[in-house]
Amino acid sequence: MFEYELHRMNHAQLVREAAAERLSHEAAESAGSARGLRRLGRRSAGQDAEGRVSDGSRGRFVRAA
């Protein structure tokens, strides 16, 4: 019975978190900031996307101690 009660409590917590996330998305959409939601998952402007290293020299890599 104890495991079942823990399962129900965990399930209830997950349902609450999902409802809160859904509500925040709905509020952002109604405010007209759908682009803002997409930006949340993006990197900040100071970080580049993955790709080749611009310098390409291997001299800056050193052996770990």
Side-chain angles (χ1 to χ4, degrees):
M1 185 68 172
F2 183 68
E3 288 183 27
Y4 177 74
E5 291 172 350
L6 287 177
H7 172 73
R8 295 294 294 167
M9 289 171 47
N10 188 29
H11 176 72
Q13 179 64 29
L14 291 174
V15 169
R16 283 192 297 271
E17 289 175 7
E21 186 173 338
R22 192 169 34 252
L23 182 63
S24 66
H25 282 281
E26 289 174 1
E29 286 178 4
S30 68
S33 63
R35 285 184 59 186
L37 284 176
R38 279 185 258 137
R39 286 186 188 156
L40 289 176
R42 292 185 182 171
R43 298 175 184 206
S44 66
Q47 296 177 343
D48 293 333
E50 292 182 16
R52 285 190 74 114
V53 178
S54 60
D55 186 5
S57 67
R58 300 186 121 187
R60 60 186 167 165
F61 295 105
V62 296
R63 192 169 179 195

